[in-house]
Amino acid sequence: MSLADLLMERFKVKTRAIENPVITSIGATAVLVLNNNPNRLAWVMVNLSVNAIYMALNNGVSATNGIYIPPNGGNVSMIWDEDFQTTAWAIWGIAPAGASAIYSFEVVEY
Amino acid sequence: MAFTLIGWQESEDEASVLLPKAAITDTHVTVVGDIIYVPGLNKLLAEYVQGSATGRFAELRSPSLRAKVLQDLAPISLAATTPNPALFAPHFHNPITLVEGEGLEALYDQTTAVAAIKTILAWLGDGVPTPITGDIMTVRVAATITAVVGAWVNGALTFSQTLPKGRYAMVGAAFWQANLIGVRFAPVGAFWRPGLFGVATVGIQQAEIFRYGRLGTWFEFESLTPPTIEIVCFAAGAATIGGYLDLIKIA
């Protein structure tokens, strides 16, 4: 059985992954990293920079309001059966030190 | 009920004579010069006339109308640019039956000896619309299209939000832009072009008949294959268009 068949049998879904769906760099101003997407089942964000990055569910994200993502490979992820509704919500990020590269992908149903 | 939007647009000085206007170049109905040949949707449901400051009269003409009365159109918008919903007098519930295959013309008359663009839109359908009710949601859309005078120009819609996966019925819409006159949808896999006239800004109330299911289901689409739109404007050039779609999720 292929992966697609297994996913359909167990979860009744067809999925695809989208890399860097919105941006590949975060700066000192809060930006959208992921849009609100009711079809999203999971996502991952990796900090590729040497700076600290923070992420939150609103555009008030800052160094004192958000989840800290350490530099040089720190990452955060969400999946539907653990993080429930927030998996589909918009995600905002900020890098107080300035332009910082990130890598992200989301798994969406189609 | 299916319906589609056709139109005529031309810059001309009619000099106090009713003259036919050039049909807007169209890919879903047959257009030859000033004539649009009536398609299978042969019920005339509504008209809108965007004229000039010194406009006087407008009318539709066809062989079957000649046997009765050439349909005089009123009111006429005397503003040069975008439509005024208050000057729209539709008769969706009292359609005028035309003959499939006959040539339909739109004529206009102004008094000033200066050429000016006039646009006449007409809605054709297959019967009286049946309003639809349900869990109607409204989502904002946008498009950037380079308008060409005298032609319907196609462009993609950008949705402000991602629709949950599924199938949707389009049951209403509103669009605005400074030069926008007509907007119609090109649903994937569908033939007809249901549409409406535009307004200048988001602050202008769209004609109520085009919102919230009053004309029934315009078409259906899958969330992954949304429709594109076709526009006709008062002037050529890039047009950044805003809009709203009223949708019912049906599957």
Side-chain angles (χ1 to χ4, degrees):
Chain A
M1 244 182 169
S2 69
L3 174 60
D5 291 337
L6 288 168
L7 287 172
M8 180 56 67
E9 181 174 299
R10 182 167 179 186
F11 297 104
K12 308 293 186 290
V13 292
K14 294 184 293 184
T15 65
R16 64 188 180 106
I18 304 171
E19 293 182 283
N20 298 315
V22 181
I23 54 174
T24 57
S25 176
I26 297 176
T29 302
V31 291
L32 261 179
V33 178
L34 293 173
N35 288 310
N36 185 77
N37 187 341
N39 304 311
R40 184 184 304 125
L41 303 176
W43 61 266
V44 173
M45 175 167 40
V46 180
N47 183 357
L48 301 175
S49 75
V50 298
N51 305 313
I53 285 178
Y54 302 83
M55 60 135 282
L57 301 175
N58 65 89
N59 63 353
V61 59
S62 68
T64 58
N65 179 31
I67 298 176
Y68 168 66
I69 307 175
N72 299 314
N75 59 84
V76 63
S77 63
M78 285 192 179
I79 189 168
W80 69 277
D81 62 344
E82 294 180 1
D83 302 290
F84 308 111
Q85 275 291 335
T86 52
T87 308
W89 286 25
I91 302 296
W92 293 78
I94 192 169
S100 304
I102 64 165
Y103 170 80
S104 65
F105 70 84
E106 59 178 359
V107 178
V108 297
E109 183 183 5
Y110 71 94
Chain B
M1 192 274 298
F3 71 98
T4 200
L5 180 61
I6 58 175
W8 297 258
Q9 185 177 64
E10 186 173 358
S11 177
E12 188 171 18
D13 165 30
E14 292 85 7
S16 302
V17 177
L18 273 168
L19 294 179
K21 302 276 80 69
I24 297 174
T25 307
D26 205 318
T27 57
H28 91 298
V29 290
T30 301
V31 168
V32 179
D34 301 335
I35 293 174
I36 297 176
Y37 289 94
V38 177
L41 303 183
N42 66 328
K43 302 288 192 292
L44 181 63
L45 303 172
E47 311 83 26
Y48 184 86
V49 183
Q50 186 71 27
S52 53
T54 58
R56 298 198 306 169
F57 313 119
E59 71 179 21
L60 293 180
R61 185 168 71 187
S62 76
S64 68
L65 290 176
R66 287 180 186 277
K68 304 185 292 186
V69 171
L70 298 178
Q71 185 71 6
D72 283 307
L73 307 180
I76 297 174
S77 173
L78 300 182
T81 54
T82 47
N84 181 350
L87 299 178
F88 182 51
H91 49 95
F92 285 97
H93 294 85
N94 287 288
I96 297 169
T97 300
L98 303 174
V99 174
E100 181 179 351
E102 68 173 345
L104 184 64
E105 298 173 282
L107 297 87
Y108 190 91
D109 165 21
Q110 69 171 38
T111 57
T112 309
V114 174
I117 287 183
K118 296 89 183 181
T119 308
I120 299 173
L121 302 177
W123 283 258
L124 300 177
D126 58 6
V128 176
T130 302
I132 187 171
T133 59
D135 186 12
I136 298 176
M137 61 187 90
T138 300
V139 62
R140 179 165 44 89
V141 295
T144 300
I145 303 173
T146 300
V148 174
V149 173
W152 293 102
V153 182
N154 188 278
L157 281 174
T158 300
F159 284 69
S160 63
Q161 306 176 48
T162 303
L163 297 177
K165 171 181 171 291
R167 188 168 182 83
Y168 292 82
M170 230 287 295
V171 300
F175 287 93
W176 62 88
Q177 194 270 340
N179 294 326
L180 185 64
I181 295 185
V183 182
R184 63 187 196 181
F185 291 90
V188 175
F191 182 77
W192 302 115
R193 298 289 183 264
L196 64 161
F197 57 78
V199 292
T201 71
V202 66
I204 297 176
Q205 171 73 35
Q206 177 57 272
E208 287 188 359
I209 192 69
F210 294 120
R211 300 297 308 275
Y212 302 121
R214 292 183 176 89
L215 289 179
T217 297
W218 297 27
F219 57 90
E220 297 179 3
F221 66 96
E222 297 289 338
S223 55
L224 287 179
T225 54
T228 55
I229 59 170
E230 298 176 343
I231 65 167
V232 64
C233 289
F234 166 77
T240 300
I241 297 155
Y244 293 114
L245 304 187
D246 300 324
L247 305 174
I248 297 176
K249 193 173 189 296
I250 57 177

PDB file of all heavy atoms in Angstrom, chain B residues 4 11 27 30 38 46 52 56-57 63 72 75 80-81 91 148 150 154 167 175 178 182 210 218 229 243:
ATOM      1  N   THR B   4     -26.340  35.211 -17.605  1.00  0.00           N
ATOM      2  CA  THR B   4     -25.061  35.635 -18.123  1.00  0.00           C
ATOM      3  C   THR B   4     -25.118  37.123 -18.434  1.00  0.00           C
ATOM      4  O   THR B   4     -26.208  37.697 -18.586  1.00  0.00           O
ATOM      5  CB  THR B   4     -24.693  34.820 -19.384  1.00  0.00           C
ATOM      6  OG1 THR B   4     -23.296  34.879 -19.620  1.00  0.00           O
ATOM      7  CG2 THR B   4     -25.448  35.301 -20.612  1.00  0.00           C
ATOM      8  N   SER B  11     -17.015  54.684 -27.654  1.00  0.00           N
ATOM      9  CA  SER B  11     -16.888  56.130 -27.532  1.00  0.00           C
ATOM     10  C   SER B  11     -17.358  56.753 -28.844  1.00  0.00           C
ATOM     11  O   SER B  11     -16.799  56.451 -29.905  1.00  0.00           O
ATOM     12  CB  SER B  11     -15.441  56.525 -27.249  1.00  0.00           C
ATOM     13  OG  SER B  11     -15.322  57.935 -27.209  1.00  0.00           O
ATOM     14  N   THR B  27     -16.091  35.992 -25.675  1.00  0.00           N
ATOM     15  CA  THR B  27     -15.716  34.642 -26.084  1.00  0.00           C
ATOM     16  C   THR B  27     -16.819  33.628 -25.827  1.00  0.00           C
ATOM     17  O   THR B  27     -16.663  32.462 -26.210  1.00  0.00           O
ATOM     18  CB  THR B  27     -14.446  34.183 -25.343  1.00  0.00           C
ATOM     19  OG1 THR B  27     -14.678  34.260 -23.940  1.00  0.00           O
ATOM     20  CG2 THR B  27     -13.253  35.040 -25.714  1.00  0.00           C
ATOM     21  N   THR B  30     -21.717  34.995 -29.605  1.00  0.00           N
ATOM     22  CA  THR B  30     -21.260  35.416 -30.919  1.00  0.00           C
ATOM     23  C   THR B  30     -21.472  36.913 -31.084  1.00  0.00           C
ATOM     24  O   THR B  30     -22.595  37.420 -30.919  1.00  0.00           O
ATOM     25  CB  THR B  30     -22.023  34.656 -32.016  1.00  0.00           C
ATOM     26  OG1 THR B  30     -21.796  33.252 -31.841  1.00  0.00           O
ATOM     27  CG2 THR B  30     -21.524  35.070 -33.397  1.00  0.00           C
ATOM     28  N   VAL B  38     -28.304  36.368 -29.683  1.00  0.00           N
ATOM     29  CA  VAL B  38     -28.890  35.869 -28.444  1.00  0.00           C
ATOM     30  C   VAL B  38     -28.566  34.388 -28.275  1.00  0.00           C
ATOM     31  O   VAL B  38     -28.872  33.575 -29.151  1.00  0.00           O
ATOM     32  CB  VAL B  38     -30.417  36.087 -28.443  1.00  0.00           C
ATOM     33  CG1 VAL B  38     -31.035  35.483 -27.177  1.00  0.00           C
ATOM     34  CG2 VAL B  38     -30.737  37.585 -28.519  1.00  0.00           C
ATOM     35  N   ALA B  46     -32.457  42.213 -17.266  1.00  0.00           N
ATOM     36  CA  ALA B  46     -32.115  43.532 -16.724  1.00  0.00           C
ATOM     37  C   ALA B  46     -31.171  44.215 -17.690  1.00  0.00           C
ATOM     38  O   ALA B  46     -30.532  43.571 -18.523  1.00  0.00           O
ATOM     39  CB  ALA B  46     -31.456  43.402 -15.352  1.00  0.00           C
ATOM     40  N   SER B  52     -23.325  59.386 -20.734  1.00  0.00           N
ATOM     41  CA  SER B  52     -22.530  60.598 -20.722  1.00  0.00           C
ATOM     42  C   SER B  52     -23.379  61.720 -20.125  1.00  0.00           C
ATOM     43  O   SER B  52     -24.593  61.581 -19.985  1.00  0.00           O
ATOM     44  CB  SER B  52     -22.107  60.965 -22.147  1.00  0.00           C
ATOM     45  OG  SER B  52     -23.250  61.016 -22.992  1.00  0.00           O
ATOM     46  N   ARG B  56     -29.407  61.119 -23.570  1.00  0.00           N
ATOM     47  CA  ARG B  56     -30.853  61.308 -23.638  1.00  0.00           C
ATOM     48  C   ARG B  56     -31.594  59.985 -23.587  1.00  0.00           C
ATOM     49  O   ARG B  56     -32.426  59.763 -22.728  1.00  0.00           O
ATOM     50  CB  ARG B  56     -31.240  62.065 -24.914  1.00  0.00           C
ATOM     51  CG  ARG B  56     -30.681  63.456 -25.020  1.00  0.00           C
ATOM     52  CD  ARG B  56     -31.432  64.277 -26.042  1.00  0.00           C
ATOM     53  NE  ARG B  56     -31.504  63.626 -27.343  1.00  0.00           N
ATOM     54  CZ  ARG B  56     -32.289  64.044 -28.327  1.00  0.00           C
ATOM     55  NH1 ARG B  56     -33.085  65.080 -28.162  1.00  0.00           N
ATOM     56  NH2 ARG B  56     -32.286  63.421 -29.500  1.00  0.00           N
ATOM     57  N   PHE B  57     -31.302  59.120 -24.552  1.00  0.00           N
ATOM     58  CA  PHE B  57     -32.072  57.893 -24.672  1.00  0.00           C
ATOM     59  C   PHE B  57     -31.147  56.696 -24.884  1.00  0.00           C
ATOM     60  O   PHE B  57     -30.022  56.832 -25.352  1.00  0.00           O
ATOM     61  CB  PHE B  57     -33.030  57.965 -25.871  1.00  0.00           C
ATOM     62  CG  PHE B  57     -33.815  59.230 -25.948  1.00  0.00           C
ATOM     63  CD1 PHE B  57     -33.694  60.079 -27.052  1.00  0.00           C
ATOM     64  CD2 PHE B  57     -34.682  59.595 -24.937  1.00  0.00           C
ATOM     65  CE1 PHE B  57     -34.418  61.252 -27.139  1.00  0.00           C
ATOM     66  CE2 PHE B  57     -35.410  60.767 -25.015  1.00  0.00           C
ATOM     67  CZ  PHE B  57     -35.274  61.603 -26.122  1.00  0.00           C
ATOM     68  N   PRO B  63     -34.982  41.759 -33.874  1.00  0.00           N
ATOM     69  CA  PRO B  63     -36.148  41.464 -34.717  1.00  0.00           C
ATOM     70  C   PRO B  63     -37.413  41.186 -33.899  1.00  0.00           C
ATOM     71  O   PRO B  63     -38.497  41.668 -34.252  1.00  0.00           O
ATOM     72  CB  PRO B  63     -35.691  40.235 -35.509  1.00  0.00           C
ATOM     73  CG  PRO B  63     -34.214  40.399 -35.608  1.00  0.00           C
ATOM     74  CD  PRO B  63     -33.801  40.992 -34.295  1.00  0.00           C
ATOM     75  N   ASP B  72     -37.052  50.549 -24.650  1.00  0.00           N
ATOM     76  CA  ASP B  72     -36.391  51.758 -24.172  1.00  0.00           C
ATOM     77  C   ASP B  72     -35.872  51.530 -22.769  1.00  0.00           C
ATOM     78  O   ASP B  72     -36.552  50.918 -21.930  1.00  0.00           O
ATOM     79  CB  ASP B  72     -37.365  52.942 -24.192  1.00  0.00           C
ATOM     80  CG  ASP B  72     -37.578  53.480 -25.588  1.00  0.00           C
ATOM     81  OD1 ASP B  72     -36.560  53.787 -26.246  1.00  0.00           O
ATOM     82  OD2 ASP B  72     -38.738  53.573 -26.026  1.00  0.00           O
ATOM     83  N   PRO B  75     -33.680  53.978 -15.864  1.00  0.00           N
ATOM     84  CA  PRO B  75     -33.008  55.257 -16.065  1.00  0.00           C
ATOM     85  C   PRO B  75     -31.658  55.090 -16.773  1.00  0.00           C
ATOM     86  O   PRO B  75     -31.236  53.967 -17.026  1.00  0.00           O
ATOM     87  CB  PRO B  75     -32.811  55.759 -14.635  1.00  0.00           C
ATOM     88  CG  PRO B  75     -32.693  54.516 -13.828  1.00  0.00           C
ATOM     89  CD  PRO B  75     -33.588  53.508 -14.472  1.00  0.00           C
ATOM     90  N   ALA B  80     -19.967  59.777 -16.241  1.00  0.00           N
ATOM     91  CA  ALA B  80     -19.086  59.138 -17.219  1.00  0.00           C
ATOM     92  C   ALA B  80     -18.444  57.864 -16.702  1.00  0.00           C
ATOM     93  O   ALA B  80     -18.066  56.998 -17.482  1.00  0.00           O
ATOM     94  CB  ALA B  80     -17.999  60.117 -17.646  1.00  0.00           C
ATOM     95  N   THR B  81     -18.307  57.729 -15.406  1.00  0.00           N
ATOM     96  CA  THR B  81     -17.502  56.626 -14.886  1.00  0.00           C
ATOM     97  C   THR B  81     -18.394  55.550 -14.278  1.00  0.00           C
ATOM     98  O   THR B  81     -19.245  55.017 -14.927  1.00  0.00           O
ATOM     99  CB  THR B  81     -16.462  57.148 -13.885  1.00  0.00           C
ATOM    100  OG1 THR B  81     -17.139  57.909 -12.879  1.00  0.00           O
ATOM    101  CG2 THR B  81     -15.460  58.033 -14.584  1.00  0.00           C
ATOM    102  N   HIS B  91     -35.553  43.889 -14.079  1.00  0.00           N
ATOM    103  CA  HIS B  91     -36.852  43.200 -14.158  1.00  0.00           C
ATOM    104  C   HIS B  91     -36.628  41.701 -14.168  1.00  0.00           C
ATOM    105  O   HIS B  91     -37.208  40.959 -14.973  1.00  0.00           O
ATOM    106  CB  HIS B  91     -37.644  43.672 -15.383  1.00  0.00           C
ATOM    107  CG  HIS B  91     -36.858  43.661 -16.662  1.00  0.00           C
ATOM    108  ND1 HIS B  91     -36.889  42.613 -17.549  1.00  0.00           N
ATOM    109  CD2 HIS B  91     -36.024  44.587 -17.213  1.00  0.00           C
ATOM    110  CE1 HIS B  91     -36.104  42.876 -18.576  1.00  0.00           C
ATOM    111  NE2 HIS B  91     -35.569  44.054 -18.399  1.00  0.00           N
ATOM    112  N   VAL B 148      -9.130  46.818 -20.865  1.00  0.00           N
ATOM    113  CA  VAL B 148      -9.083  47.260 -22.254  1.00  0.00           C
ATOM    114  C   VAL B 148     -10.476  47.735 -22.622  1.00  0.00           C
ATOM    115  O   VAL B 148     -11.452  47.001 -22.440  1.00  0.00           O
ATOM    116  CB  VAL B 148      -8.661  46.101 -23.183  1.00  0.00           C
ATOM    117  CG1 VAL B 148      -8.765  46.518 -24.645  1.00  0.00           C
ATOM    118  CG2 VAL B 148      -7.257  45.634 -22.850  1.00  0.00           C
ATOM    119  N   GLY B 150     -13.725  48.222 -24.432  1.00  0.00           N
ATOM    120  CA  GLY B 150     -14.387  47.467 -25.490  1.00  0.00           C
ATOM    121  C   GLY B 150     -14.168  45.976 -25.441  1.00  0.00           C
ATOM    122  O   GLY B 150     -14.573  45.265 -26.366  1.00  0.00           O
ATOM    123  N   ASN B 154      -9.885  39.036 -18.688  1.00  0.00           N
ATOM    124  CA  ASN B 154      -9.912  38.039 -17.624  1.00  0.00           C
ATOM    125  C   ASN B 154      -8.769  38.234 -16.641  1.00  0.00           C
ATOM    126  O   ASN B 154      -7.667  38.662 -17.025  1.00  0.00           O
ATOM    127  CB  ASN B 154      -9.823  36.642 -18.253  1.00  0.00           C
ATOM    128  CG  ASN B 154     -10.036  35.540 -17.241  1.00  0.00           C
ATOM    129  OD1 ASN B 154      -9.117  35.163 -16.526  1.00  0.00           O
ATOM    130  ND2 ASN B 154     -11.245  35.024 -17.174  1.00  0.00           N
ATOM    131  N   ARG B 167     -16.939  22.169  -1.748  1.00  0.00           N
ATOM    132  CA  ARG B 167     -17.638  22.716  -2.912  1.00  0.00           C
ATOM    133  C   ARG B 167     -18.554  23.846  -2.446  1.00  0.00           C
ATOM    134  O   ARG B 167     -19.208  23.718  -1.403  1.00  0.00           O
ATOM    135  CB  ARG B 167     -18.445  21.630  -3.618  1.00  0.00           C
ATOM    136  CG  ARG B 167     -19.044  22.078  -4.950  1.00  0.00           C
ATOM    137  CD  ARG B 167     -19.571  20.903  -5.747  1.00  0.00           C
ATOM    138  NE  ARG B 167     -20.109  21.325  -7.031  1.00  0.00           N
ATOM    139  CZ  ARG B 167     -19.362  21.537  -8.117  1.00  0.00           C
ATOM    140  NH1 ARG B 167     -18.058  21.350  -8.072  1.00  0.00           N
ATOM    141  NH2 ARG B 167     -19.921  21.936  -9.251  1.00  0.00           N
ATOM    142  N   PHE B 175     -18.348  44.270  -6.267  1.00  0.00           N
ATOM    143  CA  PHE B 175     -16.996  44.642  -6.688  1.00  0.00           C
ATOM    144  C   PHE B 175     -16.906  46.149  -6.791  1.00  0.00           C
ATOM    145  O   PHE B 175     -17.891  46.822  -7.114  1.00  0.00           O
ATOM    146  CB  PHE B 175     -16.636  44.023  -8.038  1.00  0.00           C
ATOM    147  CG  PHE B 175     -16.369  42.551  -7.979  1.00  0.00           C
ATOM    148  CD1 PHE B 175     -17.380  41.642  -8.223  1.00  0.00           C
ATOM    149  CD2 PHE B 175     -15.101  42.073  -7.665  1.00  0.00           C
ATOM    150  CE1 PHE B 175     -17.140  40.283  -8.161  1.00  0.00           C
ATOM    151  CE2 PHE B 175     -14.852  40.718  -7.601  1.00  0.00           C
ATOM    152  CZ  PHE B 175     -15.875  39.816  -7.846  1.00  0.00           C
ATOM    153  N   ALA B 178     -12.350  52.398  -9.219  1.00  0.00           N
ATOM    154  CA  ALA B 178     -12.712  53.742  -9.693  1.00  0.00           C
ATOM    155  C   ALA B 178     -13.274  53.761 -11.105  1.00  0.00           C
ATOM    156  O   ALA B 178     -14.137  54.581 -11.418  1.00  0.00           O
ATOM    157  CB  ALA B 178     -11.493  54.648  -9.596  1.00  0.00           C
ATOM    158  N   GLY B 182     -18.396  46.780 -15.471  1.00  0.00           N
ATOM    159  CA  GLY B 182     -18.999  45.455 -15.444  1.00  0.00           C
ATOM    160  C   GLY B 182     -18.010  44.405 -14.974  1.00  0.00           C
ATOM    161  O   GLY B 182     -16.823  44.477 -15.280  1.00  0.00           O
ATOM    162  N   PHE B 210     -28.001  41.710  -6.218  1.00  0.00           N
ATOM    163  CA  PHE B 210     -26.817  40.895  -6.486  1.00  0.00           C
ATOM    164  C   PHE B 210     -26.221  40.273  -5.227  1.00  0.00           C
ATOM    165  O   PHE B 210     -25.162  39.635  -5.291  1.00  0.00           O
ATOM    166  CB  PHE B 210     -25.743  41.738  -7.179  1.00  0.00           C
ATOM    167  CG  PHE B 210     -26.132  42.204  -8.545  1.00  0.00           C
ATOM    168  CD1 PHE B 210     -26.205  43.563  -8.839  1.00  0.00           C
ATOM    169  CD2 PHE B 210     -26.422  41.300  -9.550  1.00  0.00           C
ATOM    170  CE1 PHE B 210     -26.572  43.994 -10.099  1.00  0.00           C
ATOM    171  CE2 PHE B 210     -26.793  41.723 -10.811  1.00  0.00           C
ATOM    172  CZ  PHE B 210     -26.868  43.072 -11.092  1.00  0.00           C
ATOM    173  N   TRP B 218     -25.451  31.311  -8.589  1.00  0.00           N
ATOM    174  CA  TRP B 218     -24.885  31.786  -9.854  1.00  0.00           C
ATOM    175  C   TRP B 218     -24.102  30.651 -10.520  1.00  0.00           C
ATOM    176  O   TRP B 218     -24.172  30.472 -11.718  1.00  0.00           O
ATOM    177  CB  TRP B 218     -23.948  32.961  -9.602  1.00  0.00           C
ATOM    178  CG  TRP B 218     -24.606  34.174  -9.030  1.00  0.00           C
ATOM    179  CD1 TRP B 218     -25.728  34.226  -8.258  1.00  0.00           C
ATOM    180  CD2 TRP B 218     -24.170  35.527  -9.157  1.00  0.00           C
ATOM    181  NE1 TRP B 218     -26.015  35.519  -7.896  1.00  0.00           N
ATOM    182  CE2 TRP B 218     -25.068  36.340  -8.439  1.00  0.00           C
ATOM    183  CE3 TRP B 218     -23.096  36.133  -9.818  1.00  0.00           C
ATOM    184  CZ2 TRP B 218     -24.938  37.717  -8.354  1.00  0.00           C
ATOM    185  CZ3 TRP B 218     -22.962  37.504  -9.746  1.00  0.00           C
ATOM    186  CH2 TRP B 218     -23.883  38.292  -9.016  1.00  0.00           C
ATOM    187  N   ILE B 229     -12.403  36.233 -12.996  1.00  0.00           N
ATOM    188  CA  ILE B 229     -13.397  37.238 -13.354  1.00  0.00           C
ATOM    189  C   ILE B 229     -12.985  37.915 -14.651  1.00  0.00           C
ATOM    190  O   ILE B 229     -11.825  37.869 -15.057  1.00  0.00           O
ATOM    191  CB  ILE B 229     -13.591  38.312 -12.251  1.00  0.00           C
ATOM    192  CG1 ILE B 229     -12.273  39.050 -11.955  1.00  0.00           C
ATOM    193  CG2 ILE B 229     -14.184  37.703 -11.001  1.00  0.00           C
ATOM    194  CD1 ILE B 229     -12.457  40.263 -11.063  1.00  0.00           C
ATOM    195  N   GLY B 243     -13.475  43.202  -3.878  1.00  0.00           N
ATOM    196  CA  GLY B 243     -14.793  42.588  -3.996  1.00  0.00           C
ATOM    197  C   GLY B 243     -15.130  41.691  -2.834  1.00  0.00           C
ATOM    198  O   GLY B 243     -14.287  41.410  -1.965  1.00  0.00           O
TER     199      GLY B 243
END
